[in-house]
Amino acid sequence: MWTADVILAFVLALCTVGTAVRQGDASMVVPPGKMPLVEGPVPVPVPPPPPAGWVPDLGPVGHLEPWQIVLAALTALPLTARRRYPLTAFGAVIVTTLLFNQRLGAGDTTVYTFLSCVVAAYSAAVYSPHRLRALVGVLTGAALIAAFAEENFPYVTPGVVPFLLLVGVGLGANATHVWKQRVHALEVRQEAATRLALDRERARIARELHDIVTHNVSVMVIQAGAARKVMDAAPDRARDALLAVEAGGRTAMAELRQVMGLLTPAGEEPDPGASAEDGAELAPQPGLSQVPALVGRVRATGVPVELTVTGTPVPLPAGVGLAAYRVVQEALTNTVKHAAGATVRVVLEHTPDALHVVVTDTGGATSPSARTGTGRGLTGLRERVALHGGTLSASGRPTGGYRVDAVLPIGEPS
């Protein structure tokens, strides 16, 4: 497109300069249609014979000054930037055209200067992102050309009409092409934005499912295993373990239904299979207030867990509370899977600006279920915490064990 603009600008500039040079050869320019009507034969003056030894003085090329030739070229050369700087190119073409036609007078050059003005106005209207400025500029330029119509409007002969029609068709076809390109580019951007939104939503739901399923299933497996081992020797303890498995399953089902509700189209009826006793529709989204219950469920599996809360608790935004809950949940799940027999300490430290969540364990034996881990849990946690402007670090401790440390800015309470 840039090459085409350069070719168009140079062709119009050459045509304007060439016509101006030929026009300058005439001693007087009489616009067509303004020839005086004289009845009878027109006398033809006969010049006197030149003196002996006379050599004709050709004078400068076309009797035009160099600055006039440069000005003629500048009536079209700004069109090289008509797509990138449409308003600037239009202003330059209008100003140079007015100056050139005022200096040279009406003539054959107006065909090309007027065509340059039309192309510049079309470019300003089509390519400028500033719609109001483009409209004001085009109207102002048209008013200036109309104010000096005698010098700037070309004389239209029958031979010029097909040329003007072809130019109009070409500009219309180019405008249609540009419009289709803009519509296509807009559709591509909308599709890309939709795909990005879908990917982010899938990632969010995947993190929720990972946190819910991994933790609850890991705890249920441990409790079911403990019930199997003590079923014959201590039926009461086995019964308690099975009750804990049932409670964990109900909790997992409630949280899963909450996540699945995100995928239900608006206005669609909820799942009729959800029983009222599950409390799926009435259960609140997990938050900081559910951390003691979470710790209690893990402690019931036989893992020593200590919970410490410092500072003055303040109301937290729902997203921050959910993120803190998921941090504790993922850290406890990893301890159950990777550090059997470890002692865990959970610290929730409230400060005026942020909530600090620290989960440490003393280390232990790796359980068989650890081989199924993918390492995506901590990655998802970092993304979740970063979404709220916080940071998360997870590393081994010099004295053994593991430490998960998250800092969540409080922001405005919800």
Side-chain angles (χ1 to χ4, degrees):
M1 291 188 293
W2 184 83
T3 303
D5 292 341
V6 170
I7 293 174
L8 174 65
F10 272 89
V11 167
L12 288 176
L14 289 176
C15 292
T16 305
V17 170
T19 305
V21 170
R22 288 195 303 271
Q23 182 175 318
D25 286 333
S27 58
M28 180 180 65
V29 178
V30 180
K34 298 185 180 181
M35 188 73 70
L37 298 178
V38 180
E39 297 182 357
V42 179
V44 179
V46 180
W54 176 79
V55 178
D57 184 13
L58 297 178
V61 179
H63 301 291
L64 291 180
E65 297 294 335
W67 66 269
Q68 290 177 312
I69 297 177
V70 173
L71 194 61
L74 289 178
T75 59
L77 289 181
L79 295 178
T80 55
R82 71 186 186 94
R83 297 178 195 264
R84 188 168 185 180
Y85 305 105
L87 290 180
T88 303
F90 172 71
V93 169
I94 291 294
V95 171
T96 53
T97 296
L98 291 172
L99 291 176
F100 176 73
N101 288 334
Q102 284 291 326
R103 297 295 182 180
L104 196 64
D108 296 336
T109 57
T110 54
V111 174
Y112 302 104
T113 56
F114 184 75
L115 182 58
S116 298
C117 292
V118 170
V119 174
Y122 163 82
S123 304
V126 173
Y127 298 114
S128 175
H130 310 289
R131 295 301 178 190
L132 182 59
R133 296 182 189 177
L135 178 61
V136 173
V138 170
L139 292 179
T140 303
L144 291 174
I145 295 294
F148 303 96
E150 187 175 352
E151 293 87 358
N152 295 292
F153 272 99
Y155 175 75
V156 180
T157 61
V160 179
V161 173
F163 175 72
L164 295 179
L165 290 177
L166 290 175
V167 170
V169 171
L171 292 178
N174 188 58
T176 303
H177 177 67
V178 170
W179 176 76
K180 289 182 177 179
Q181 283 185 325
R182 288 186 175 182
V183 171
H184 178 68
L186 180 60
E187 291 176 349
V188 170
R189 288 196 295 270
Q190 289 178 341
E191 291 177 359
T194 302
R195 286 195 300 270
L196 180 60
L198 289 175
D199 290 341
R200 288 178 175 175
E201 187 64 15
R202 289 192 187 102
R204 187 173 72 89
I205 294 175
R207 288 195 298 267
E208 290 288 341
L209 291 175
H210 173 274
D211 294 339
I212 294 170
V213 174
T214 303
H215 170 76
N216 288 286
V217 172
S218 297
V219 173
M220 290 165 62
V221 167
I222 292 176
Q223 290 171 333
R228 176 181 55 82
K229 292 179 180 179
V230 300
M231 186 175 298
D232 297 330
D236 292 339
R237 293 177 56 188
R239 180 176 177 276
D240 294 339
L242 291 176
L243 289 175
V245 170
E246 181 183 4
R250 291 183 182 278
T251 302
M253 288 299 298
E255 294 189 23
L256 284 174
R257 286 199 179 97
Q258 288 179 346
V259 175
M260 292 300 105
L262 300 175
L263 305 178
T264 304
E268 186 173 314
E269 293 295 329
D271 182 11
S275 60
E277 66 180 12
D278 288 338
E281 298 180 14
L282 301 178
Q285 194 175 33
L288 205 61
S289 59
Q290 279 75 42
V291 170
L294 172 65
V295 170
R297 288 196 299 270
V298 175
R299 189 182 292 130
T301 65
V303 179
V305 183
E306 176 187 352
L307 175 62
T308 303
V309 180
T310 62
T312 304
V314 296
L316 298 176
V320 174
L322 177 60
Y325 179 88
R326 296 303 186 201
V327 170
V328 177
Q329 185 183 56
E330 178 67 19
L332 292 177
T333 302
N334 288 338
T335 300
V336 170
K337 293 173 61 176
H338 300 279
T343 300
V344 187
R345 186 166 187 263
V346 179
V347 177
L348 302 178
E349 181 183 354
H350 295 271
T351 66
D353 300 326
L355 170 66
H356 295 254
V357 181
V358 181
V359 182
T360 57
D361 65 68
T362 57
T366 303
S367 64
S369 61
R371 289 192 290 266
T372 62
T374 61
R376 296 178 182 173
L378 290 176
T379 302
L381 273 184
R382 287 192 179 91
E383 295 176 357
R384 185 191 294 272
V385 172
L387 185 65
H388 298 283
T391 59
L392 184 139
S393 60
S395 60
R397 302 171 62 194
T399 57
Y402 209 75
R403 175 187 175 97
V404 176
D405 190 347
V407 179
L408 290 161
I410 293 178
E412 294 293 333
S414 59

